[in-house]
């Protein structure tokens, strides 16, 4: 119900009715990855980041994927988001946080096109910069494109940071 009255203003000045789009995808038996990708691109181009919207859609999509035997699970989504947050904080410590948007765009493009090799390459380079190994959860997700997309978008949530949590400022979003 958090998404019920949310309209998302795009960079072109158009509005996306989030609830309607999610329901349309479910009725059409489609996953939400295309919508998630579109929203990530829009959020990255705007000052006001509302990643909680994407997280809600990602969780809805994960439940949808359950019927296809490709559910990741709430705990793993949280874990991947935390890995993204940790990487963002590490980049900030090393004063390399200006690289986060470039990494994010590469990861989004790889996820959208289901290019596992490009996603893995970008992730490996990001972790190698800190001399750390890639978390095990990503290695396990390489076995299934849909699971990798869920895990990848959860990672991006953390990498982008969550400025507005769980429906705060709903009134602003409805009227934008």
């Amino acid at each position: 119900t958090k998404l019920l009255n949310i309209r998302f203003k795009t960079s072109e000045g158009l509005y996306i009715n989030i609830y309607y789009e999610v329901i349309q995808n479910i009725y059409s038996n489609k996953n939400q990855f295309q919508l998630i990708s579109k929203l990530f691109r829009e959020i990255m181009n705007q000052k006001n980041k509302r990643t909680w919207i994407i997280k809600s859609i990602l969780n809805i999509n994960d439940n949808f994927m359950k019927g296809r035997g490709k559910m990741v699970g709430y705990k793993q989504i949280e874990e991947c988001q935390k890995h993204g947050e940790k990487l963002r904080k590490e980049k900030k410590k090393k004063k390399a946080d200006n690289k986060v948007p470039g990494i994010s765009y590469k990861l989004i493009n790889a996820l959208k096109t289901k290019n596992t090799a490009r996603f893995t390459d970008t992730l490996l380079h990001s972790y190698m910069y800190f001399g750390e190994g890639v978390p095990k959860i990503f290695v396990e997700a390489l076995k299934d494109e849909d699971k990798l997309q869920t895990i990848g978008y959860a990672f991006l949530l953390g990498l982008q940071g969550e400025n507005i949590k769980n429906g705060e400022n709903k009134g602003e979003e409805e009227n934008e």
Side-chain angles (χ1 to χ4, degrees):
T1 59
K2 286 189 262 181
L3 300 176
L4 193 55
N5 295 318
I6 302 299
R7 292 184 316 149
F8 189 93
K9 187 175 182 181
T10 67
S11 53
E12 293 93 29
L14 303 172
Y15 287 91
I16 300 171
N17 181 322
I18 301 296
Y19 182 78
Y20 175 80
E21 293 294 325
V22 169
I23 295 299
Q24 278 298 117
N25 285 338
I26 290 170
Y27 281 144
S28 300
N29 201 28
K30 290 189 212 172
N31 62 43
Q32 307 292 334
F33 292 132
Q34 188 173 2
L35 176 61
I36 291 169
S37 179
K38 183 177 186 172
L39 292 175
F40 255 121
R41 287 182 179 284
E42 290 293 336
I43 283 173
M44 288 177 61
N45 292 326
Q46 296 178 12
K47 294 178 208 168
N48 189 2
K49 296 180 187 259
R50 295 178 303 248
T51 55
W52 70 268
I53 295 170
I54 294 174
K55 186 167 186 178
S56 295
I57 297 169
L58 193 61
N59 284 321
I60 290 167
N61 192 60
D62 195 45
N63 281 322
F64 173 79
M65 299 304 278
K66 181 179 183 179
R68 298 178 178 187
K70 298 177 182 236
M71 184 177 189
V72 171
Y74 182 76
K75 287 182 181 180
Q76 287 183 317
I77 289 172
E78 287 288 318
E79 179 185 341
C80 289
Q81 185 175 355
K82 287 179 184 171
H83 287 305
E85 289 170 4
K86 182 179 176 188
L87 188 65
R88 179 174 38 88
K89 288 175 185 173
E90 290 297 322
K91 289 220 178 262
K92 197 170 199 164
K93 280 183 194 174
K94 289 197 172 199
K95 301 199 187 316
D97 54 332
N98 61 335
K99 297 191 182 296
V100 170
I103 292 167
S104 297
Y105 278 114
K106 287 179 184 178
L107 292 173
I108 288 170
N109 287 333
L111 291 169
K112 184 177 181 182
T113 59
K114 296 183 179 185
N115 189 333
T116 304
R118 185 185 297 167
F119 180 87
T120 305
D121 186 51
T122 304
L123 197 66
L124 282 171
H125 279 90
S126 296
Y127 275 96
M128 282 175 36
Y129 183 78
F130 300 109
E132 292 185 26
V134 175
K136 182 180 174 184
I137 195 164
F138 290 105
V139 177
E140 292 170 6
L142 290 173
K143 299 172 189 170
D144 185 302
E145 281 181 351
D146 290 329
K147 287 183 180 180
L148 181 64
Q149 282 189 294
T150 301
I151 298 257
Y153 284 123
F155 178 77
L156 277 165
L157 283 171
L159 196 59
Q160 288 302 302
E162 195 165 322
N163 296 338
I164 298 177
K165 297 183 189 246
N166 299 325
E168 291 175 14
N169 298 334
K170 275 187 185 176
E172 279 179 33
E173 292 167 25
E174 290 171 15
N175 297 322
E176 274 189 19

